[in-house]
Amino acid sequence: ALPLGKLKRGAHAIAQGRYDTRFQVTSHDEIGALGTAFNQMAADLGAANARAIEHRHELENRVAQRTSEWRQAADAQRESAAELRLITENMPVGLCYIDRSLRYRFHNRQYLCLVGLPDTDIDGHSIVDVLGAAIVDAMEGAIGQALAGTQSAQERRHVGRDGKPHDLLVALVPRIGDDGAVAGFYAMAQDISERKRSEQALLRHNDELTTVNRQLQDAQN
């Protein structure tokens, strides 16, 4: 019974993680064979545990490396997004992105100012709810072209945040997704009121010159 008690204590020691436990074999009978098998089992378990610990350390190192890479990528993405937001917010052009369901997904402050909207978050809202059905209906053709993959542009008049009418050149540029389909379109609005006033002044000046030229010709005749 004494050798069996030692084997029992050895089994408890291995169960607690002491894989260097060995049974002293002093005979070649059944007890000796059992002790030899016990020692082999302890050696195999010790080797397997060492491989498991090495594999765990390797996995931990991989996880730490991937975590570090992910954090670096996330920091770079945040910096890039912040820089992009800074650029778009300081553009003299109104910019927004609208998906296929005609909902805003991105916009800058200049866009809100040009179309006469207060500083509010319109992302996620339908353009019909934001701009009104009349404006969306008037732009139906241009929107259809953009969703079909063709860039379009048209001039529109909007009442700006200052309460005055502004002539806007609105360009719709389709955005192609990774699958090759049109995911939505970008809308870029530029205030061309000054250019329109200059064009009208130039037309009036040309009319005046034409009139004066006709008068001079009549006088010469």
Side-chain angles (χ1 to χ4, degrees):
L2 184 60
L4 293 177
K6 292 181 178 180
L7 286 173
K8 181 180 178 180
R9 289 191 295 273
H12 282 297
I14 290 177
Q16 295 174 359
R18 300 199 297 272
Y19 299 105
D20 57 347
T21 303
R22 296 294 183 270
F23 179 78
Q24 186 177 1
V25 179
T26 58
S27 63
H28 299 287
D29 54 6
E30 289 84 354
I31 296 297
L34 185 60
T36 301
F38 175 86
N39 291 338
Q40 184 62 46
M41 178 192 68
D44 292 342
L45 288 175
N49 181 68
R51 290 193 299 270
I53 292 176
E54 182 181 0
H55 184 61
R56 186 187 66 188
H57 288 165
E58 182 180 356
L59 288 178
E60 289 175 349
N61 291 334
R62 288 183 180 179
V63 170
Q65 182 180 359
R66 294 292 177 83
T67 301
S68 177
E69 293 175 354
W70 178 82
R71 287 176 178 173
Q72 292 177 359
D75 291 341
Q77 185 178 14
R78 281 193 295 268
E79 292 178 1
S80 178
E83 184 177 359
L84 179 61
R85 170 60 72 174
L86 181 63
I87 293 174
T88 55
E89 288 298 343
N90 289 277
M91 291 174 58
V93 176
L95 176 66
C96 67
Y97 172 65
I98 301 171
D99 62 18
R100 286 196 65 89
S101 61
L102 300 184
R103 292 184 177 276
Y104 288 98
R105 296 303 176 188
F106 171 83
H107 70 281
N108 64 355
R109 288 195 300 267
Q110 184 66 10
Y111 176 81
L112 297 177
C113 182
L114 289 178
V115 297
L117 296 174
D119 285 329
T120 183
D121 187 9
I122 61 175
D123 293 344
H125 295 274
S126 169
I127 62 174
V128 176
D129 296 335
V130 174
L131 299 179
I135 295 179
V136 176
D137 290 342
M139 298 184 64
E140 182 178 2
I143 293 174
Q145 289 181 5
L147 293 179
T150 303
Q151 181 175 339
S152 63
Q154 65 174 204
E155 295 182 5
R156 291 203 52 79
R157 173 161 287 197
H158 280 270
V159 177
R161 195 179 295 172
D162 56 2
K164 299 179 181 179
H166 292 265
D167 293 305
L168 303 181
L169 177 62
V170 182
L172 304 184
V173 181
R175 176 180 177 271
I176 308 301
D178 296 334
D179 57 354
V182 178
F185 59 89
Y186 296 99
M188 291 176 286
Q190 183 178 4
D191 192 345
I192 58 172
S193 301
E194 187 63 31
R195 192 190 77 184
K196 295 287 287 186
R197 285 192 289 269
S198 298
E199 290 176 353
Q200 293 173 0
L202 182 60
L203 290 175
R204 288 194 300 268
H205 185 62
N206 288 338
D207 292 341
E208 292 173 357
L209 288 177
T210 301
T211 302
V212 171
N213 185 51
R214 186 182 302 111
Q215 291 175 351
L216 288 174
Q217 186 176 1
D218 293 341
Q220 183 180 5
N221 292 334

